[in-house]
Amino acid sequence: MSATTSEHDLFEVLDASDFTFTRRAWVDAAPARVYDLVSDVSTIGRWSPNASDVTFDQCAGPRVGAWFSGRNHKDGRQWATRSQVVRADPGAAFAFVVGGAEDGIVQWSWTCHSRGRGTVVEQSWQLLRLDRVLGTTRGDLDALRDYMTNSVETTLLSLAQWIAETPSG
């Protein structure tokens, strides 16, 4: 162990539950409309700075157990993902796990709460298990969580702006 690495920084002693966050934003739309937008995974690329080409498998849709694929990009790298819907409560909550419900690595969730004439939408990110592909030290995983926090803040602002500029219909 080097002088700059303590045993608490080692991958083997980290707890995945330490790496989670939730961000929220108010949007000018009813919870049902917000849910319809975020549960249509093909629209994620409109708001997310990191995801593109997201599509449900053939004959699948926003229901528990459904699978979808997408592409992510960060720092000049690209990779494909497979995710499975783990919660689909129309008008209220939508969640999926990257890698699937059985052995997934990260859970993304959206919840919608009526507030005034609009909705407070919350987006959460939760590391479900450690995987060296995400980093091998607390510093790596803190940096990933911080990066994803900024990405979610961008996503929520973009979603709110898109809703404000796009008539419902």
Side-chain angles (χ1 to χ4, degrees):
M1 192 170 355
S2 76
T4 59
T5 303
S6 74
E7 68 177 283
H8 299 290
D9 290 329
L10 296 175
F11 184 78
E12 291 77 17
V13 298
L14 296 174
D15 182 352
S17 68
D18 289 343
F19 304 96
T20 186
F21 65 85
T22 299
R23 293 294 181 266
R24 47 192 69 72
W26 184 87
V27 297
D28 191 10
R33 180 167 184 231
V34 175
Y35 175 87
D36 288 347
L37 291 170
V38 300
S39 67
D40 176 1
V41 297
S42 67
T43 65
I44 290 173
R46 291 180 184 161
W47 311 300
S48 172
N50 304 101
S52 63
D53 303 319
V54 184
T55 56
F56 277 112
D57 288 2
Q58 188 172 2
C59 299
R63 61 187 169 278
V64 173
W67 284 87
F68 62 92
S69 299
R71 297 206 53 76
N72 288 356
H73 47 86
K74 178 182 181 268
D75 299 333
R77 293 177 295 133
Q78 287 195 8
W79 63 97
T81 60
R82 292 280 294 152
S83 300
Q84 185 178 27
V85 177
V86 295
R87 186 170 181 194
D89 301 327
F94 180 75
F96 60 89
V97 174
V98 178
E102 294 297 316
D103 193 36
I105 192 166
V106 172
Q107 178 169 301
W108 287 96
S109 60
W110 299 78
T111 57
C112 305
H113 308 280
S114 182
R115 171 92 38 94
R117 69 169 203 232
T119 300
V120 173
V121 59
E122 294 180 347
Q123 187 178 7
S124 299
W125 180 88
Q126 177 185 10
L127 189 60
L128 299 175
R129 65 178 173 81
L130 300 174
D131 190 306
R132 292 184 180 280
V133 72
L134 299 177
T136 58
T137 67
R138 172 169 290 283
D140 292 342
L141 295 173
D142 283 340
L144 174 64
R145 182 195 54 223
D146 293 348
Y147 178 86
M148 297 314 297
T149 301
N150 290 334
S151 174
V152 164
E153 289 171 357
T154 299
T155 297
L156 288 170
L157 289 173
S158 295
L159 173 64
Q161 181 177 356
W162 189 86
I163 287 172
E165 294 172 353
T166 306
S168 62

